[in-house]
Amino acid sequence: MTANPTGVPARPLSATTAMLDVRGLKKVYEGRGRSVEAVRDLTFTVAAGELVCIVGPSGAGKTTLLRCIAGLLDATAGEVVLEGERVTGPPPGMAVVFQEYGRSLFPWMTVRQNVELPLKEKKVPKDRRRRLVQDSLEAVGLAEAQDAHPWQLSGGMQQRVAIARAVAYEPHLLLMDEPFAAVDAQTRADLEDLVRSLWQRLGVTVLFVTHDIDESVYLGQRVIVLSNSPTVVLEDVPIDLPAERDQLTTRSLPRFAELRSHVYELIQLAKSGHRPA
Amino acid sequence: MTANPTGVPARPLSATTAMLDVRGLKKVYEGRGRSVEAVRDLTFTVAAGELVCIVGPSGAGKTTLLRCIAGLLDATAGEVVLEGERVTGPPPGMAVVFQEYGRSLFPWMTVRQNVELPLKEKKVPKDRRRRLVQDSLEAVGLAEAQDAHPWQLSGGMQQRVAIARAVAYEPHLLLMDEPFAAVDAQTRADLEDLVRSLWQRLGVTVLFVTHDIDESVYLGQRVIVLSNSPTVVLEDVPIDLPAERDQLTTRSLPRFAELRSHVYELIQLAKSGHRPA
Amino acid sequence: MTAATLGRRSPPPAWLLGLAGLAGLVGIVELAPRAGLVDGRYLPPFSAMAAALAEQAATAEFWQSLLETLRGWATGLAIAMVAGVALGLVIGGVPPLRAALNSTIEFLRPIPSVALIPLAVLLFGTDMRSTLLLVVYASFWQVLLQVLYGVRDVDPVARETARSYRFRPLTQVRTVTWPTALPYVMTGFRLGAAVALILEITGELIIGSPGLGRQIAVAQTSGAVASMYALVIVVGLIGVTVNVAARATERRALRWHPSIRRDLAG
Amino acid sequence: GGQSASPEPGSSASGELSPVKVSVIPILDVAPIYLGEQQGFFAAEGLKLEIVTAQGGAAIVPAVVSGQVDVGFSNFTSLILARSKGLPIKVITPGVASTGVAGQDFGGVVVKAGSPIKSAADLAGKRVAVNTLNNINDTTVRASIRAAGGDAKNVTFTELAFPDMLAALDKGNVDAVQVVEPFLATAVKNGDRVVASNYVDTAPSLAIAGYFTSQQTATGKADLIKRFTAAMLKSLRYATDNPDAVRQVLLKYTKIDAGLTGSLTLPTFPTKVDRASLETLAKLARQDGLVTSSPDLTELVP
Amino acid sequence: MNLMNAGRKALLALAVPVLLVAAWWLATAGAASFFWPPLSEILAAFADTWFSARFVTDVLPSLGRLLAGYLGAVVAGVALGTAVGSSRTLRGLLEPVLEFFRAIPSPVLVPILMLFAGIGDGMKILVIVSGCVWPVLLNTVEGVRALDEVLSDTARSYRMRRRSRLVHLVLRGAGPQIAAGARQALSIGIILMVISEMFAASNGLGFTIIQFQRSFAIPQMWSGIILLGLVGIALSMAFRAVEARLLRWYTGLRTAQREG
Ligand SMILES: Nc1ncnc2c1ncn2[C@@H]1O[C@H](COP(=O)(O)OP(=O)(O)OP(=O)(O)O)[C@@H](O)[C@H]1O
Ligand SMILES: Nc1ncnc2c1ncn2[C@@H]1O[C@H](COP(=O)(O)OP(=O)(O)OP(=O)(O)O)[C@@H](O)[C@H]1O
Ligand SMILES: [Mg+2]
Ligand SMILES: [Mg+2]
């Protein structure tokens, strides 16, 4: 982890500090009769401690990409290299917030148990565990629902439990797949700031899939825009906004508006089937 | 159904044309030890052919409200009256897009079968059924995925299947629970226009739950803002934008900006626990 | 304002319905022979069975037999449950193992316990261990198969969650596989319990190890029809009791499961 | 068999009784052993009798062969079958025999009152239930038919447990049933008609079943078996002399209705294994194809 | 590649049986025990016993009854199970009665059945049904109860009629668990085929095995047991082929993210 006294991670300087290296990734889903080339050729690098957003049309293969990086899915071709090692299974110190947040919570456990379980597995001492669980649930605004079961919660609340679980885990690689899709605008803004502060505090590397273009620009140091399926990288947009961001000022910067409309145009291009030469 | 030659439904004139009447609705979830008063007292009316958006903090009870209206859940107190009749079970001619879109698709059926089944139930003749299925799948951009099973699709694609199913059904009451949460910005815009055109074409009454404030203002004739749980109506905001809307011009109207920041403030109020006197 | 739920009458409690059902059965058994639908000499009316039962219940031998039966049954079932669940989780969790053992399991499952009786007797004589062997053999497969199907039911997203947080294999089994399989295991328990009881009785009946089954055999060969049915009623009631217990356990252990949730929600 | 005098109860003079485990079927036939126990004949021989019950040969024969029990009770046809397959067993005492009086035996073939079947010969071409196929009861029924001049080849035997037979007869599922007591008495009480006494028709006083042990036990525990034999013979004799005691003891180990015991026809309890009967049974077994060659009966009954 | 895969699969499937047979062979090779004859003797008896007229006179009728009983049980179990699983009142009313009957052993139940069904093939089929129906019934009940709420709400909100809800939602949704029950019932059916032939029979596979047992034809009896096992394997293979077709969606759903 990059210890950074200023609390502001530096942009990557060279490829040698690459945390994550996706090389020529290709994924074809084989089914009876139906074979889908979801991802054709993805190559990009993420430096340690970077926060990268990924956007792309629905069905572009963002989830597929994340699963490959997480070591949950075997690629058809190409490879994913994490901290110099080829990914063959879930690496240690990684947390994933799944798009299917509802199904990723264990219905037989309470909210607290769900958040606490990975910490137990990580052998975090009891009182620290307690504190982490408490803090993360408070951070997502669910301190009161600790003893409820996931199926007693609304969709947005479930999603926040999944986020709390990932946050409490203190990963150094955090993969989030549309993690704020089910929460209201205000909560969303709060959670965005939560992710940014977590990232700054712990120096965690974050890959963040989202459909909200404003969100991608507000959060990321880079936004990778994917093409339509079969997917390639359409453009890797560096976000040259000041590192210190806040909901009001950052979003009202002219540069913000420029970037967001640029990304929006890219998405429109992607949806209309445009592919890089 | 309001036949309307201009394609633009009129605002409701009096309470006598009320399609839907929610009166003092209260819902308390009783569980072992944990009893949650999700909805305390909701009263509002929706005229026939109206398009009403509902926004509110995560966990406010929007889904609960929709389920009560759909006749899927018994209220603890109060009542829902639909076209003069008290709702005790799902009324005919209603379509619902559930928030848990993934779980609402039949995994043993293909996409086409999923969309077609309710039409078969409605005894729509075969060729018309074919056309409706084809048209609606094309409208959501899934014409190619017809023969896939839902679990072979991405999250956003699944959600669009659920939308296509509701659209093909040609309901006269359409309840949608965050139906565009999992799709990209461009698709979202397209789907918003799809809902509006459907509404104008068929005169269907629409209740639309969303977390996207821009979306609620862009789509609705009214936006009902709910308070924090236990829920009451915080404000019923009439959207006095021209009936003819389009993504570019409408969204750049000054009145649009005013309305959206008004709704946003209301949401912030709601989240901070403010309740009407 | 009236409650919206007013229209719905809550159904009578399950135990009341259950008693009504059993009462109906009693009524049929009482009336059928009286009305001449069956010959009362071969299926006596319920009252005759009840009288015979009362007579039996006054003897120490009856209670001794009941105890023997219950002991043999519980021991056998416990062994079968533990073995079935443990092996089921292992075999189901390791696909190559499953592929390797499939045909063997399918070969062994349909071997009827009655065919094994001489072998059991050869090994253990006519005491309770012979019967125990049959009980375990028969109920083990029921539990095993249920567990295998239960393990298959794990939600892939839940499994991936566990994998991504690098749960150790044992934790994965404990926190993901086991809860998913639990409803199947409960059904396996209920199936196994009845099969174990049946084999316990059959074993006692044929091998002659002590218990209710031997009493039934004696009654049968003596032509004491009412006494025999009285004992059968006892066996049936054991089955009913076990099920009540299983259901009660289920309501606690599966509180989170849709089936129980729906019941509790009303 | 001479009086094996038993003033000193074998080796266990100290009152310490040696256990002997006997596996029997809980039916009328084994009343003498219960009587003998009651009368203390076994204790007098220094034996502590332990009776275990089973439903048939499936459990009894393996138990005896494996030495799990010392003595078993079985019908002679079964034992002939076992011996012919090479099972090392030996008959040590007789058990029951037919009364030898036609119409007044403890087993017989019964038909419904109105049945056209009047004699064993009429059974030809009919459906007859026996409790086990290819065993003593169907071979003796065939013998009975042959004796009456009927065609024994085309009888259809069906296997039914004794307790189920009368119901099947009532329902017309079968035309005749071969039953033993107490079902015979019940049948007569129901008004059914006995058309043949198959045991009597086979041989004058057919030995039907007896007590046996395994070769290994016979040599390894020779003394125990000797004492058992002595006590058993005493019991058989006592049973023959005290029919009322037999009827009484039935109430103890069976659940036969007390009102019925008086009307039961008791079998005889011989004290000598009737070699001639065994030869007859062996011949029938070969004739009906149960065995391919007659076993050496001297090995079975030394 | 595909061929190699198939080869590996076959090897995996055969390894354990081959090992076990070898172990059995070795363990009994020199044995003198009357009840554990050498495997070679059993196999010799197998050919003599079953590759003969007996196949037609005993094995086929048994298999016919088995199939009839099994199918009857599956239909009855699914029908009753759906009804009981969907209605809480019905479940409360019937469950204790069903549990009562479930606990009654066949040696006791069969005589009662004979009172009503006589002693013919009908009775034997009924005996098979009476045993096979339970796993199907219990699993169906539980499967129906465990249906996803959102899915049944979807069906309700589109006002699917009772019939199509049954066909398209309940039966398909409970399918995986019904399959578990039906699979259980298969081997129970074989066992009950044998048991049913212990009563009032004069032919059949089970009858023959019991006859062998009673007449101490031990190698023949063992060969019969082996035949039962083989029947079990054959039927379960057929079952799995059917299951794989009907539950293709389920396999896909459950392994969707696992495979590459
Ligand atoms: N299990 C599967 N079997 C077959 N095809 C699949 C499977 N999972 C995904 N796909 C296909 O792969 C493509 C990419 O899917 P993926 O879920 O990665 O998209 P996504 O970018 O996450 O989309 P969304 O934004 O809608 O979630 C889609 O076309 C989808 O149909
Ligand atoms: N089955 C249930 N049992 C108990 N409590 C429930 C249940 N369903 C919902 N609740 C509670 O009711 C409240 C409202 O839930 P609801 O799902 O209606 O919220 P929502 O407005 O749809 O939220 P979101 O925007 O996050 O989907 C929440 O506090 C939730 O915990
Ligand atoms: Mg996705
Ligand atoms: Mg909701």
Side-chain angles (χ1 to χ4, degrees):
Chain A
M1 277 179 240
T2 15
N4 198 314
T6 67
V8 184
R11 290 292 311 276
L13 298 177
S14 76
T16 55
T17 63
M19 165 93 174
L20 176 72
D21 206 349
V22 178
R23 297 182 194 147
L25 192 76
K26 176 187 174 91
K27 175 70 198 178
V28 180
Y29 287 101
E30 304 280 4
R32 289 173 20 92
R34 185 174 181 272
S35 132
V36 179
E37 185 179 4
V39 172
R40 174 163 293 172
D41 178 13
L42 282 181
T43 303
F44 63 87
T45 310
V46 178
E50 218 178 351
L51 200 171
V52 176
C53 289
I54 298 172
V55 299
S58 170
K62 304 178 292 297
T63 301
T64 305
L65 168 65
L66 240 53
R67 296 192 116 96
C68 288
I69 294 176
L72 295 169
L73 195 65
D74 292 332
T76 310
E79 58 180 1
V80 175
V81 178
L82 192 72
E83 288 174 314
E85 268 181 66
R86 195 175 158 157
V87 170
T88 51
M94 173 192 70
V96 184
V97 178
F98 289 91
Q99 187 174 14
E100 301 103 327
Y101 52 90
R103 284 165 64 191
S104 90
L105 299 176
F106 302 135
W108 41 85
M109 294 182 178
T110 63
V111 165
R112 187 220 307 278
Q113 288 166 335
N114 264 292
V115 176
E116 198 173 7
L117 187 59
L119 299 180
K120 274 193 187 158
E121 271 309 275
K122 211 179 153 190
K123 301 232 166 74
V124 176
K126 191 161 178 180
D127 40 347
R128 179 160 167 72
R129 211 163 66 205
R130 282 273 154 80
R131 196 148 29 80
L132 283 170
V133 172
Q134 188 64 33
D135 289 355
S136 65
L137 282 175
E138 261 163 26
V140 300
L142 284 178
E144 270 86 67
Q146 289 197 23
D147 295 320
H149 284 268
W151 39 269
Q152 295 176 310
L153 302 181
S154 76
M157 291 162 92
Q158 290 176 16
Q159 195 166 37
R160 284 182 279 152
V161 176
I163 295 168
R165 179 167 64 184
V167 166
Y169 193 65
E170 302 195 312
H172 57 238
L173 175 62
L174 178 57
L175 308 180
M176 303 180 99
D177 199 351
E178 305 182 26
F180 308 149
V183 299
D184 60 277
Q186 178 59 40
T187 308
R188 188 167 198 140
D190 296 347
L191 291 175
E192 283 164 8
D193 292 335
L194 174 70
V195 167
R196 271 194 74 88
S197 79
L198 187 82
W199 166 65
Q200 291 178 326
R201 188 159 49 83
L202 300 178
V204 36
T205 310
V206 183
L207 251 76
F208 192 101
V209 170
T210 179
H211 281 315
D212 187 326
I213 292 164
D214 292 50
E215 183 169 88
S216 70
V217 173
Y218 175 72
L219 276 185
Q221 294 177 304
R222 281 154 65 201
V223 174
I224 296 179
V225 185
L226 301 184
S227 78
N228 229 339
S229 183
T231 310
V232 295
V233 174
L234 201 62
E235 195 174 314
D236 190 339
V237 185
I239 303 295
D240 46 6
L241 294 171
E244 212 53 272
R245 300 183 189 173
D246 84 51
Q247 295 284 354
L248 278 181
T249 51
T250 307
R251 284 186 195 253
S252 51
L253 292 175
R255 181 66 187 146
F256 185 91
E258 273 171 45
L259 284 167
R260 85 171 281 294
S261 53
H262 179 57
V263 174
Y264 192 62
E265 273 157 27
L266 284 172
I267 290 281
Q268 282 179 312
L269 271 178
K271 250 220 92 179
S272 68
H274 173 86
R275 309 178 70 79
Chain B
M1 278 180 240
T2 16
N4 196 316
T6 68
V8 184
R11 291 290 312 277
L13 297 177
S14 75
T16 53
T17 64
M19 165 92 173
L20 175 72
D21 206 347
V22 178
R23 298 182 193 147
L25 191 76
K26 176 188 175 92
K27 175 70 196 179
V28 181
Y29 287 102
E30 304 280 4
R32 291 172 19 94
R34 185 173 182 271
S35 132
V36 179
E37 185 179 2
V39 173
R40 174 164 292 171
D41 179 14
L42 282 180
T43 304
F44 62 87
T45 311
V46 177
E50 216 177 356
L51 199 171
V52 175
C53 290
I54 297 172
V55 298
S58 169
K62 303 178 291 298
T63 301
T64 306
L65 168 64
L66 240 52
R67 293 175 87 93
C68 288
I69 294 175
L72 295 169
L73 196 65
D74 289 331
T76 310
E79 58 181 1
V80 175
V81 177
L82 193 72
E83 288 174 316
E85 267 180 65
R86 192 170 158 165
V87 170
T88 51
M94 173 191 72
V96 184
V97 177
F98 289 91
Q99 187 174 14
E100 300 103 327
Y101 52 89
R103 283 167 64 194
S104 85
L105 300 176
F106 297 93
W108 42 85
M109 294 183 182
T110 62
V111 165
R112 186 221 309 278
Q113 288 167 335
N114 262 292
V115 177
E116 197 172 9
L117 185 63
L119 299 180
K120 275 193 187 157
E121 282 299 300
K122 213 178 149 187
K123 301 229 166 79
V124 176
K126 192 160 177 179
D127 41 348
R128 178 159 168 71
R129 212 163 66 205
R130 283 274 154 79
R131 195 148 29 81
L132 283 170
V133 172
Q134 187 65 33
D135 289 355
S136 66
L137 282 175
E138 261 163 27
V140 300
L142 285 178
E144 269 87 67
Q146 290 198 23
D147 295 320
H149 285 269
W151 37 270
Q152 295 176 311
L153 302 181
S154 77
M157 290 162 90
Q158 289 176 17
Q159 196 165 36
R160 284 182 278 152
V161 176
I163 295 168
R165 179 168 63 186
V167 167
Y169 194 64
E170 301 194 312
H172 57 238
L173 175 63
L174 178 58
L175 308 179
M176 303 180 101
D177 198 351
E178 305 182 27
F180 308 150
V183 299
D184 62 276
Q186 179 57 44
T187 308
R188 189 169 197 137
D190 295 348
L191 291 175
E192 281 164 11
D193 291 336
L194 175 69
V195 167
R196 272 195 72 89
S197 78
L198 187 82
W199 165 65
Q200 289 178 326
R201 188 160 48 84
L202 300 179
V204 35
T205 310
V206 183
L207 249 76
F208 192 101
V209 170
T210 179
H211 281 315
D212 187 324
I213 292 164
D214 292 49
E215 182 169 274
S216 69
V217 173
Y218 175 72
L219 276 185
Q221 294 176 303
R222 280 154 66 201
V223 175
I224 297 179
V225 185
L226 301 184
S227 79
N228 229 341
S229 181
T231 310
V232 294
V233 174
L234 201 62
E235 196 175 313
D236 191 338
V237 185
I239 304 296
D240 46 5
L241 294 170
E244 210 54 89
R245 301 182 189 175
D246 85 49
Q247 295 284 353
L248 279 181
T249 51
T250 309
R251 282 183 198 256
S252 52
L253 291 175
R255 181 67 187 144
F256 184 90
E258 273 171 46
L259 284 167
R260 84 172 282 293
S261 53
H262 179 57
V263 174
Y264 192 61
E265 273 158 29
L266 284 172
I267 289 282
Q268 282 179 310
L269 272 178
K271 250 221 91 178
S272 69
H274 173 87
R275 309 179 70 80
Chain C
M1 205 168 287
T2 52
T5 45
L6 207 79
R8 292 239 177 141
R9 275 176 303 122
S10 61
W15 61 267
L16 199 67
L17 284 171
L19 282 184
L22 286 178
L25 181 63
V26 166
I28 291 172
V29 175
E30 178 69 34
L31 292 180
R34 292 200 184 284
L37 292 175
V38 287
D39 193 328
R41 281 173 301 180
Y42 311 122
L43 187 67
F46 179 80
S47 46
M49 300 181 193
L53 183 58
E55 207 173 290
Q56 299 262 345
T59 64
E61 196 189 9
F62 168 80
W63 294 105
Q64 182 63 29
S65 301
L66 180 61
L67 209 68
E68 301 266 16
T69 296
L70 288 179
R71 191 165 54 201
W73 164 78
T75 317
L77 182 60
I79 296 173
M81 277 300 285
V82 170
V85 168
L87 286 176
L89 289 175
V90 172
I91 297 173
V94 186
L97 201 59
R98 189 171 186 164
L101 291 180
N102 232 326
S103 54
T104 308
I105 292 176
E106 292 307 332
F107 180 86
L108 292 176
R109 266 186 343 122
I111 295 179
S113 294
V114 279
L116 298 177
I117 285 177
L119 303 175
V121 172
L122 211 56
L123 291 172
F124 299 120
T126 55
D127 65 15
M128 102 174 230
R129 281 174 305 166
S130 287
T131 306
L132 191 63
L133 181 75
L134 303 184
V135 170
V136 172
Y137 186 83
S139 47
F140 167 74
W141 299 116
Q142 309 255 321
V143 181
L144 179 76
L145 207 81
Q146 288 294 129
V147 178
L148 287 180
Y149 270 84
V151 168
R152 186 176 80 156
D153 204 34
V154 172
D155 187 310
V157 179
R159 181 179 30 235
E160 293 201 341
T161 305
R163 279 183 65 204
S164 67
Y165 284 109
R166 291 171 69 90
F167 286 6
R168 279 174 287 272
L170 217 63
T171 314
Q172 283 196 33
V173 168
R174 193 167 49 81
T175 59
V176 182
T177 315
W178 170 249
T180 307
L182 196 55
Y184 287 79
V185 175
M186 285 308 299
T187 307
F189 171 78
R190 292 173 56 214
L191 285 170
V195 166
L197 187 59
I198 288 175
L199 260 294
E200 176 70 29
I201 298 291
T202 311
E204 291 165 4
L205 207 120
I206 295 179
I207 299 176
S209 56
L212 283 181
R214 192 166 72 183
Q215 302 290 321
I216 291 177
V218 172
Q220 269 185 342
T221 48
S222 306
V225 180
S227 298
M228 189 204 74
Y229 283 118
L231 292 165
V232 171
I233 289 177
V234 175
V235 175
L237 288 180
I238 297 177
V240 175
T241 315
V242 171
N243 188 60
V244 169
R247 286 293 193 205
T249 317
E250 208 171 75
R251 284 170 80 86
R252 301 184 133 269
L254 293 179
R255 204 180 311 141
W256 53 271
H257 194 258
S259 57
I260 307 293
R261 253 145 71 184
R262 203 166 311 180
D263 274 8
L264 293 181
Chain D
Q3 266 273 31
S4 54
S6 52
E8 359 86 10
S11 51
S12 46
S14 54
E16 192 48 30
L17 302 178
S18 19
V20 59
K21 218 171 175 181
V22 184
S23 187
V24 301
I25 309 168
I27 47 176
L28 173 61
D29 305 26
V30 297
I33 197 169
Y34 283 95
L35 262 183
E37 188 189 24
Q38 218 174 44
Q39 295 298 318
F41 298 152
F42 289 92
E45 289 286 343
L47 294 176
K48 185 176 178 306
L49 191 61
E50 195 186 320
I51 300 178
V52 293
T53 56
Q55 228 190 8
I60 297 180
V61 174
V64 171
V65 169
S66 66
Q68 303 276 2
V69 302
D70 302 306
V71 177
F73 177 84
S74 174
N75 78 62
F76 286 133
T77 300
S78 283
L79 294 180
I80 288 168
L81 281 175
R83 189 74 225 190
S84 75
K85 289 290 186 327
L87 268 182
I89 48 174
K90 276 187 176 337
V91 174
I92 50 176
T93 74
V96 281
S98 127
T99 58
V101 185
Q104 282 177 41
D105 200 3
F106 77 106
V109 181
V110 166
V111 296
K112 292 215 56 98
S115 167
I117 300 170
K118 302 289 180 218
S119 75
D122 297 339
L123 290 172
K126 295 291 193 292
R127 296 162 302 167
V128 182
V130 291
N131 79 322
T132 40
L133 281 180
N134 299 325
N135 212 302
I136 191 164
N137 289 326
D138 53 346
T139 53
T140 53
V141 169
R142 280 206 195 87
S144 184
I145 297 172
R146 275 192 292 263
D151 176 12
K153 283 259 177 306
N154 70 26
V155 183
T156 314
F157 285 106
T158 301
E159 187 169 308
L160 272 181
F162 287 129
D164 305 331
M165 283 186 181
L166 296 183
L169 185 67
D170 261 359
K171 287 202 63 181
N173 291 325
V174 290
D175 302 311
V177 296
Q178 194 279 330
V179 286
V180 295
E181 296 290 12
F183 301 103
L184 188 57
T186 311
V188 171
K189 212 174 89 188
N190 287 354
D192 297 338
R193 191 152 47 76
V194 181
V195 291
S197 297
N198 52 315
Y199 302 143
V200 181
D201 298 345
T202 305
S205 59
L206 187 72
I208 292 180
Y211 296 84
F212 68 100
T213 186
S214 72
Q215 196 90 55
Q216 209 183 0
T217 312
T219 50
K221 296 180 176 177
D223 180 55
L224 188 85
I225 295 301
K226 209 180 97 210
R227 283 185 280 146
F228 173 83
T229 311
M232 195 62 230
L233 289 175
K234 222 191 281 179
S235 309
L236 289 166
R237 208 167 292 129
Y238 184 84
T240 310
D241 296 343
N242 300 284
D244 287 339
V246 172
R247 293 182 202 278
Q248 272 305 308
V249 81
L250 283 181
L251 296 177
K252 235 192 75 192
Y253 73 94
T254 71
K255 292 190 161 67
I256 294 174
D257 184 26
L260 202 62
T261 50
S263 53
L264 298 182
T265 306
L266 297 184
T268 57
F269 301 110
T271 49
K272 242 178 86 66
V273 181
D274 177 24
R275 178 66 70 96
S277 293
L278 261 77
E279 267 157 14
T280 310
L281 289 175
K283 203 183 82 211
L284 289 180
R286 209 180 55 240
Q287 194 173 2
D288 290 335
L290 274 56
V291 293
T292 41
S293 62
S294 289
D296 186 355
L297 289 180
T298 53
E299 285 198 309
L300 186 60
V301 190
Chain E
M1 170 81 185
N2 235 339
L3 213 73
M4 228 171 72
N5 243 341
R8 263 232 314 277
K9 253 190 194 159
L11 198 70
L12 202 60
L14 287 178
V16 176
V18 167
L19 278 178
L20 287 178
V21 169
W24 186 358
W25 188 285
L26 288 179
T28 58
S33 168
F34 185 81
F35 287 93
W36 301 100
L39 186 54
S40 53
E41 215 174 286
I42 296 174
L43 292 183
F46 190 94
D48 289 349
T49 311
W50 303 111
F51 298 155
S52 65
R54 225 183 231 121
F55 192 78
V56 180
T57 56
D58 288 313
V59 181
L60 289 186
S62 286
L63 292 182
R65 291 191 288 255
L66 169 63
L67 232 55
Y70 177 73
L71 294 179
V74 170
V75 170
V78 170
L80 191 59
T82 331
V84 171
S86 323
S87 155
R88 205 152 29 121
T89 314
L90 203 59
R91 192 163 70 242
L93 200 64
L94 287 187
E95 198 168 271
V97 177
L98 292 173
E99 291 299 318
F100 182 89
F101 280 111
R102 208 155 68 78
I104 297 180
S106 353
V108 182
L109 194 62
V110 175
I112 303 179
L113 290 181
M114 286 198 302
L115 288 184
F116 298 99
I119 60 173
D121 279 352
M123 180 274 288
K124 293 184 189 77
I125 291 172
L126 211 57
V127 171
I128 296 174
V129 172
S130 76
C132 286
V133 76
W134 303 117
V136 182
L137 177 71
L138 258 61
N139 275 295
T140 307
V141 169
E142 298 310 311
V144 169
R145 289 178 66 199
L147 274 185
D148 191 292
E149 296 124 309
V150 179
L151 221 46
S152 39
D153 277 353
T154 306
R156 278 181 67 200
S157 64
Y158 284 108
R159 292 171 67 92
M160 277 170 65
R161 276 179 292 272
R162 189 182 276 275
R163 215 187 86 84
S164 52
R165 224 191 293 181
L166 189 71
V167 174
H168 294 299
L169 173 70
V170 178
L171 290 182
R172 308 273 335 239
Q177 211 158 339
I178 294 178
R183 180 74 167 277
Q184 292 267 31
L186 204 56
S187 60
I188 294 179
I190 300 177
I191 293 175
L192 280 157
M193 174 189 88
V194 174
I195 292 186
S196 72
E197 291 171 7
M198 291 170 69
F199 302 90
S202 43
N203 73 345
L205 176 51
F207 171 78
T208 315
I209 292 176
I210 301 290
Q211 283 299 316
F212 286 145
Q213 188 189 49
R214 284 215 204 103
S215 60
F216 309 101
I218 302 301
Q220 283 78 2
M221 182 194 90
W222 273 109
S223 78
I225 291 182
I226 291 181
L227 183 61
L228 287 180
L230 294 179
V231 169
I233 293 183
L235 289 181
S236 88
M237 267 160 58
F239 181 91
R240 267 192 299 178
V242 175
E243 185 190 26
R245 268 195 79 80
L246 291 180
L247 293 185
R248 192 180 297 141
W249 66 270
Y250 180 72
T251 326
L253 177 72
R254 281 310 184 218
T255 51
Q257 279 87 4
R258 197 160 34 157
E259 41 79 75

